Amino acid sequence: MATAADPRDLRARAEVQARELAAAGVAGVTVGWADNNGIPRSRTVPIAALPDAATTGIGVTSLFAVFDSADTITYAYEGLATPSGDIRLVAELDGLVRLAGQPALAWAPGRQVDADGEPWPYDQRSVLIRQLARLADAGLSALIGYELEFGVYRDTEDGELIPAHHGPAYSPAALTEIDGFVESVLRDFAANGLHIGQLHAEYGPAQVELSLTATDPLTAADNQLLARQTLRAAAHVHGLRLSFAPLPSTSSAGNGWHLHTSLWRDGSNLLAGGPQGPGPEGAAYIAGLLRDLPAVAAVTAPSLGSLARLRPGYFAGAYRFWGVENREAPLRYVPGSALLGADHANVELKTSDASANPYLALAALLAAGAAGVAEKLPLGPPVQTDPGTWSEADRAERGIAALPKTPSEQEAALTGNLRIAEVLGKELLGAFLAVRRSDAEAAVDRETDDVLAGLRWRY
């Protein structure tokens, strides 16, 4: 891994890459990361500065950890309660790619370290790396596949939501309205090393979905950020604007960024099984996710937009249960088949969206599932209908409760779960919660559509 390389070897590698990119016409490199709101942030340096960016990093303020969703800095967390302080943003060369849609730029994921180059407790990417090391110690690995839903709109000066396609849902006719954009996406993703499983017009007006093929968790999180950069560049070329927000408006379809995960040991997919569910270890993985789901969802769907999207009957996963191919379930088990093979099996987390930091989301999810495996948790029977249509008494009888519906309920779920809180660490958890509280306080006495409009273009 690049982070453990000898600095001299790393610099030499970066110098070679910088010369090659410069010769190809690249003028700069953008180093990106995601903050505690899931919002991409970045620094861009001249291509000649790549060796420095990869070894000694780029100076940035430590306060990015306490930016809220409106770019307001909250000083409510005592660990970052001062405007003083600087950290370094280090470019990870393993993720370096020339941007097909912005050919004068390259892109690389960033890792945040303190001023001395030591691990910084607020670096989200390091949280996932640490969790993956724990998985490896247990003899486990994982594959992650993302589904990205987003709205495609005409770019207007006032940001009005004018759909760029008008359906019908899942129709090729819808995509003809945005044919040039679709072509750019397909070509640019391939050139940027991003592998699309499928792309289609989704259910909602103006909505599109694409899926990224499964890969290792760290690459999947890096690719999620690169996919956003690639999509936005393609949209700009065609006079379009994209909303990745969980809910662009109360009249819009919700955008989930669903996580498909599988857990592996010695080359075998533990989730392999049949229509009734996976084998014992795979079942324990789902049981771990189910047990910790309220706390996990506070990380994977943490924003006010997330809570507005979390509605029964909208395939958003509003209640705590699992099902086999049940699209209303927050945990949807997808079995393998004779056609696709047993190793196709995975579990989809639907309570996930673009307002989640991808590194924290995957770390929390994998920690919950791995704990289930370690403890050999039993898994109850699947639910194959929509509990949202049941009575409160029926849900209570089956032990099915709604996931947290308010910021305070989410905070209680997260702080009350020591397993997931420990994954983030004391410092980062404190900053994460301070940001959530800042968002909630800013939304007091505001109409829901006003709040959603403020988040519409943020992610």
Side-chain angles (χ1 to χ4, degrees):
M1 184 177 294
T3 55
D6 184 298
R8 292 168 298 182
D9 295 339
L10 196 60
R11 175 171 285 277
R13 178 185 170 194
E15 287 172 348
V16 170
Q17 290 178 298
R19 286 195 297 269
E20 291 175 346
L21 288 168
V26 173
V29 57
T30 294
V31 183
W33 77 100
D35 71 7
N36 285 325
N37 313 287
I39 297 174
R41 308 288 184 179
S42 70
R43 286 286 195 271
T44 298
V45 298
I47 194 62
L50 177 60
D52 289 335
T55 52
T56 57
I58 306 161
V60 298
T61 175
S62 58
L63 292 175
F64 277 116
V66 286
F67 270 50
D68 70 12
S69 297
D71 291 348
T72 298
I73 300 170
T74 173
Y75 293 103
Y77 173 60
E78 62 182 3
L80 293 170
T82 168
S84 302
D86 223 28
I87 58 169
R88 307 298 293 181
L89 176 68
V90 179
E92 294 288 349
L93 294 181
D94 287 347
L96 181 67
V97 61
R98 184 183 184 183
L99 294 171
Q102 299 170 273
L105 291 177
W107 180 93
R111 172 175 53 92
Q112 300 163 84
V113 299
D114 70 15
D116 296 323
E118 296 300 317
W120 194 53
Y122 303 94
D123 177 46
Q124 299 92 349
R125 197 173 189 270
S126 295
V127 170
L128 178 56
I129 292 172
R130 188 166 62 238
Q131 183 55 43
L132 294 178
R134 292 171 179 167
L135 272 189
D137 288 343
L140 299 170
S141 62
L143 290 177
I144 305 292
Y146 264 98
E147 287 181 7
L148 311 180
E149 294 176 340
F150 51 93
V152 185
Y153 303 96
R154 299 298 171 191
D155 193 2
T156 62
E157 289 186 5
D158 59 4
E160 185 181 356
L161 289 175
I162 300 177
H165 82 70
H166 299 82
Y170 311 109
S171 166
L175 294 186
T176 59
E177 294 188 72
I178 52 172
D179 183 67
F181 168 69
V182 171
E183 178 185 354
S184 293
V185 168
L186 293 171
R187 295 188 187 282
D188 292 353
F189 268 58
N192 289 350
L194 298 168
H195 303 291
I196 293 178
Q198 59 177 339
L199 182 153
H200 60 268
E202 245 295 338
Y203 186 78
Q207 198 174 34
V208 169
E209 178 185 298
L210 65 82
S211 60
L212 296 175
T213 55
T215 185
D216 70 275
L218 188 61
T219 299
D222 289 344
N223 284 352
Q224 194 243 57
L225 293 181
L226 177 57
R228 291 195 230 189
Q229 185 84 8
T230 306
L231 286 165
R232 287 199 184 282
H236 177 71
V237 168
H238 297 282
L240 302 173
R241 196 172 189 186
L242 307 182
S243 179
F244 302 136
L247 195 65
S249 72
T250 53
S251 60
S252 302
N255 294 316
W257 285 30
H258 305 156
L259 290 168
H260 288 260
T261 70
S262 56
L263 195 69
W264 297 70
R265 188 194 300 280
D266 299 327
S268 296
N269 183 355
L270 302 184
L271 286 167
Q276 299 306 311
E281 286 196 298
Y285 175 74
I286 296 175
L289 294 176
L290 190 61
R291 176 180 63 180
D292 290 339
L293 188 57
V296 170
V299 179
T300 61
S303 68
L304 296 172
S306 305
L307 294 171
R309 170 181 169 264
L310 202 62
R311 301 169 289 181
Y314 285 83
F315 292 1
Y319 290 93
R320 185 182 182 183
F321 69 100
W322 79 284
V324 179
E325 292 284 22
N326 183 348
R327 284 176 169 76
E328 196 61 39
L331 293 170
R332 171 181 169 245
Y333 175 65
V334 183
S337 67
L339 178 63
L340 297 174
D343 283 346
H344 177 76
N346 64 86
V347 62
E348 176 189 28
L349 174 67
K350 300 186 78 69
T351 315
S352 171
D353 60 54
S355 68
N357 179 287
Y359 305 100
L360 298 184
L362 295 184
L365 181 151
L366 293 171
V373 174
E375 297 175 38
K376 300 180 180 179
L377 289 183
L379 180 64
V383 174
Q384 297 304 100
T385 58
D386 179 5
T389 64
W390 303 356
S391 68
E392 287 286 355
D394 287 340
R395 286 194 291 267
E397 183 179 350
R398 294 286 298 274
I400 295 176
L403 289 173
K405 299 177 181 177
T406 66
S408 60
E409 288 179 2
Q410 281 195 322
E411 179 170 338
L414 185 51
T415 57
N417 188 311
L418 297 181
R419 186 168 30 256
I420 304 304
E422 188 273 335
V423 170
L424 273 65
K426 179 182 177 182
E427 293 91 346
L428 199 153
L429 177 63
F432 182 87
L433 293 176
V435 167
R436 303 277 72 75
R437 293 172 192 147
S438 182
D439 277 2
E441 290 165 4
V444 172
D445 296 329
R446 292 172 63 195
E447 295 294 330
T448 299
D449 261 318
D450 183 38
V451 173
L452 296 179
L455 300 172
R456 184 174 296 156
W457 313 112
R458 303 299 289 163
Y459 308 107

